[in-house]
Amino acid sequence: MHLEIVSPDKKVFSGEVKLVQVPGSDGSFEILKNHAPIISTLQKGRVKIVEMDDKEHFFEIEKGVIEVNNNKIVLLAERI
Amino acid sequence: MGSLKEIRTRMQSIKTTRQVTSAMKMVSAAKLRRAQEAIIRIRPYADKLYEILGNLSDSLDTLEENPFAIDRGTDRILLVSVNSNRGLCGAFNANVNKRVMQLIREDFKTQFYAGNLEIMAIGKNSFDFFRRRDFKVSHNNQVYDDLSFEQVVQVVENIMQAFVKEKYDRVYLVYNEFKNAATQLLKVEQFLPILKIEGKAEKQTTDYIYEPSVEEIVHELIPNALKIQFYKALLDSFASEHGARMTAMHKATDNATDLLRSLNLQYNKARQASITGEILEIVSGAEAMNG
């Protein structure tokens, strides 16, 4: 899956990932390969991503929105 | 034609001026590059945001209920006039002020006479201009000290709250859009209430899961889109300012060079004339002695 994390000031992350965990407004959820298309707003919290080589990264975000479609993930965060 | 000394002093002062203008040009060029990068950085965010909103456009009939979309007519107006804190950038500042004046004279005359027109000046120049003419004007000049999203958000949120509290019915932005270093486009944009967001993407057939719900997502995203729109306008204006200053300073440097060249010619002519005069005196003196 291809993931892009963008904030108004910069592009934070762009690359292939195995797993993304985000703090959705209705509770935290994970996205794995072939997730159904979803658009969800996010609340303040921690985003966890696992890259293809099992490296983990964490980002603290404050409000945002995520769109998943066809194994392409776009995460817009208002502040990181 | 002035005396040799006069010309020399003038040349000296023009040289100093040229040094200053060319230094300012270089500084502006560096700042312009940074400002341009900021615009480029925000573009992916803005594009993606509008894309997502566009995907939701089917459900945008719910837009009417959004507090930022309520059309209450045009009774109370806020004009946000965006220019700069500093001068020496050609017609950049004046263009914005002139356009705002024109808007007031032509479109918002009645509101103005009824005292229902306010101006928010972003940029010292604009603030001074309108204060001198006794308009209702508030200012936010400090955003330029450190132009970041967080700074700008505070300003926008104030405006958005005032709109929701029905202090204003319409909010317009007047700013320079950055086209390239030499060209700025003066723009007047309706900021609030929001106009329908056009989904530029072809009709999406994807069946999205919406969390928590379409309404709430739209509700959440619209303020965000507004902030981005405002921030983008400021970034555009900031880059335009440096572009305008760079061009102005480039022209000033060129003019100084031209002036210097013609003065140099004048100086050499005067010097030659005085030498010729001296030789003439010596020769005629010698002639007289020879008798």
Side-chain angles (χ1 to χ4, degrees):
Chain A
M1 309 187 286
H2 188 77
L3 169 73
E4 266 180 51
I5 302 181
V6 198
S7 87
D9 286 324
K10 56 181 179 285
K11 195 173 248 184
V12 182
F13 181 88
S14 175
E16 295 293 317
V17 289
K18 262 189 195 167
L19 176 148
V20 185
Q21 191 187 52
V22 291
S25 297
D26 273 0
S28 168
F29 63 94
E30 275 182 2
I31 297 154
L32 291 165
K33 204 164 180 263
N34 294 330
H35 194 285
I38 183 170
I39 294 179
S40 170
T41 50
L42 307 176
Q43 59 185 9
K44 190 178 157 94
R46 179 182 276 186
V47 175
K48 173 185 168 188
I49 60 175
V50 180
E51 281 190 272
M52 298 314 272
D53 51 6
D54 285 325
K55 254 193 242 151
E56 289 187 7
H57 291 280
F58 294 95
F59 300 99
E60 294 291 335
I61 66 158
E62 206 162 295
K63 270 212 253 174
V65 61
I66 190 167
E67 183 196 20
V68 182
N69 187 11
N70 210 359
N71 284 326
K72 270 201 299 218
I73 310 170
V74 180
L75 198 163
L76 304 178
E78 204 171 302
R79 206 175 297 167
I80 292 193
Chain B
M1 197 183 286
S3 75
L4 279 176
K5 188 167 182 308
E6 265 170 33
I7 299 176
R8 216 163 34 220
T9 345
R10 230 182 124 206
M11 279 170 73
Q12 204 53 53
S13 85
I14 288 171
K15 257 185 211 157
T16 327
T17 311
R18 187 175 64 171
Q19 255 167 22
V20 172
T21 55
S22 91
M24 277 181 78
K25 180 187 146 195
M26 244 109 77
V27 170
S28 280
K31 283 191 179 162
L32 171 68
R33 225 194 52 233
R34 289 233 306 275
Q36 244 175 313
E37 276 165 12
I39 293 184
I40 291 165
R41 275 202 305 269
I42 195 184
R43 229 168 247 163
Y45 188 91
D47 287 350
K48 288 273 152 56
L49 191 64
Y50 283 119
E51 203 182 301
I52 293 178
L53 270 173
N55 283 349
L56 296 166
S57 64
D58 289 344
S59 62
L60 284 191
D61 7 315
T62 58
L63 204 64
E64 263 88 76
E65 291 143 37
N66 196 289
F68 299 113
I70 301 165
D71 193 345
R72 290 187 290 261
T74 57
D75 280 350
R76 284 152 300 174
I77 307 279
L78 175 72
L79 294 173
V80 184
S81 159
V82 186
N83 62 15
S84 76
N85 277 350
R86 297 195 183 93
L88 286 182
C89 41
F92 175 83
N93 287 323
N95 280 345
V96 174
N97 294 342
K98 236 192 289 176
R99 188 76 179 89
V100 174
M101 284 301 272
Q102 191 195 351
L103 275 177
I104 294 171
R105 260 199 308 271
E106 286 170 10
D107 298 324
F108 306 122
K109 217 173 183 169
T110 44
Q111 290 92 334
F112 174 61
Y113 285 120
N116 287 330
L117 184 133
E118 268 182 54
I119 296 167
M120 176 183 274
I122 297 187
K124 229 176 251 161
N125 181 285
S126 205
F127 178 62
D128 291 343
F129 181 89
F130 291 109
R131 193 184 43 184
R132 238 179 287 131
R133 284 162 182 76
D134 286 330
F135 285 99
K136 266 194 213 170
V137 53
S138 57
H139 69 100
N140 268 296
N141 300 334
Q142 72 285 355
V143 289
Y144 284 122
D145 298 344
D146 166 34
L147 192 62
S148 68
F149 189 60
E150 272 141 66
Q151 280 268 345
V152 175
V153 160
Q154 289 167 11
V155 180
V156 196
E157 271 174 353
N158 282 341
I159 297 177
M160 280 156 60
Q161 262 161 32
F163 179 81
V164 173
K165 284 187 189 141
E166 309 196 4
K167 196 174 165 206
Y168 310 119
D169 297 328
R170 284 274 149 95
V171 181
Y172 291 91
L173 289 176
V174 184
Y175 69 100
N176 278 290
E177 191 185 36
F178 181 80
K179 197 150 175 252
N180 57 46
T183 340
Q184 298 89 36
L185 283 177
L186 194 60
K187 271 189 119 181
V188 180
E189 237 173 51
Q190 181 176 331
F191 183 61
L192 285 166
I194 41 169
L195 305 164
K196 194 169 164 43
I197 294 152
E198 278 168 39
K200 58 182 170 184
E202 63 277 12
K203 270 279 161 278
Q204 285 277 349
T205 43
T206 323
D207 238 343
Y208 281 106
I209 306 169
Y210 297 107
E211 256 195 41
S213 66
V214 181
E215 285 78 20
E216 270 178 73
I217 293 174
V218 174
H219 195 77
E220 180 110 349
L221 288 190
I222 279 173
N224 214 337
L226 284 171
K227 287 173 202 165
I228 291 290
Q229 189 192 352
F230 199 89
Y231 184 48
K232 209 162 150 252
L234 281 193
L235 284 181
D236 260 317
S237 173
F238 197 57
S240 299
E241 178 197 337
H242 289 303
R245 181 167 301 120
M246 197 178 87
T247 325
M249 287 302 112
H250 180 74
K251 275 198 195 119
T253 312
D254 280 358
N255 286 344
T257 311
D258 281 352
L259 204 57
L260 214 54
R261 198 179 296 132
S262 78
L263 273 179
N264 202 12
L265 201 66
Q266 233 181 67
Y267 177 76
N268 286 342
K269 270 186 190 160
R271 192 175 59 102
Q272 195 59 55
S274 83
I275 291 170
T276 315
E278 262 171 54
I279 292 176
L280 220 63
E281 269 166 37
I282 295 168
V283 171
S284 54
E287 293 267 298
M289 298 237 301
N290 287 344

